[in-house]
Amino acid sequence: GDWSSDVCSSDLFNDLRLTTNADETITAAVSLRNEEGEVLEFLANGQGSVEAIFNAIDKFFNQTVRLTSYNID
């Protein structure tokens, strides 16, 4: 599904924190709520914030999430 509707606008998404590392990579700390209502935090790195966030979400779903569209207004 579309993660923007499935994750961000649902009860699934809890919190997001981004940290810039000394090597200029980004670490995303993504907190998501599972079906039982338990909040789980996943950490992942990326070359930018979007990659880091998606890498963390991949860990939650235990599968690869593919970005199909990205824009900044």
Side-chain angles (χ1 to χ4, degrees), residues 7-21:
V7 176
C8 289
S9 63
S10 73
D11 291 334
L12 186 64
F13 182 78
N14 190 64
D15 191 28
L16 168 66
R17 291 183 319 279
L18 297 171
T19 304
T20 302
N21 303 309

Side-chain angles (χ1 to χ4, degrees), residues 4-68:
S4 63
S5 62
D6 293 347
V7 176
C8 289
S9 63
S10 73
D11 291 334
L12 186 64
F13 182 78
N14 190 64
D15 191 28
L16 168 66
R17 291 183 319 279
L18 297 171
T19 304
T20 302
N21 303 309
D23 64 358
E24 297 185 12
T25 59
I26 303 292
T27 298
V30 178
S31 297
L32 300 169
R33 190 177 318 277
N34 66 16
E35 292 177 341
E36 292 79 34
E38 181 181 22
V39 174
L40 306 170
E41 182 174 80
F42 296 88
L43 300 173
N45 293 328
Q47 293 302 310
S49 58
V50 173
E51 181 182 42
I53 293 166
F54 270 83
N55 289 343
I57 292 171
D58 285 351
K59 291 180 179 183
F60 177 78
F61 288 107
N62 198 27
Q63 63 184 7
T64 300
V65 177
R66 185 171 55 96
L67 178 64
T68 58

